[in-house]
Amino acid sequence: MTDYQPIDCGVHDRLESFSVLRTRCRIDFQAADDATRSVTGRITDIFTREGAEYLRTDDGTEIRLDRLRTVEPT
């Protein structure tokens, strides 16, 4: 069991759209140490692992979707 909190379907759809269109994005998220981090790149995959959903960027960064703060095209 995990403490993952599913995200809104509209947000999920937006992430998938960014991935399909290969849109470059700035992604702000809460890291495992609770610090806010940012990464800029393209979303290459959205996947499920151990009951939680994640996205992967083109530099290999994996972010749990309920840790996302903002995702904006650049």
Side-chain angles (χ1 to χ4, degrees):
M1 191 136 134
T2 178
D3 62 343
Y4 178 74
Q5 297 296 313
I7 65 168
D8 179 79
C9 291
V11 174
H12 198 281
D13 290 347
R14 188 170 183 226
L15 296 173
E16 287 183 348
S17 176
F18 288 151
S19 177
V20 169
L21 297 173
R22 300 189 37 82
T23 304
R24 191 166 172 78
C25 298
R26 177 188 163 123
I27 303 167
D28 297 327
F29 62 99
Q30 184 179 358
D33 64 1
D34 287 329
T36 299
R37 305 258 194 261
S38 294
V39 63
T40 300
R42 290 179 176 83
I43 299 170
T44 59
D45 195 14
I46 298 173
F47 61 96
T48 303
R49 180 175 60 221
E50 297 176 1
E53 293 180 289
Y54 294 81
L55 67 75
R56 183 178 298 120
T57 64
D58 53 357
D59 71 355
T61 301
E62 292 183 359
I63 304 166
R64 204 169 87 167
L65 298 190
D66 64 346
R67 297 281 195 164
L68 294 172
R69 296 298 168 248
T70 59
V71 180
E72 298 295 331
T74 58

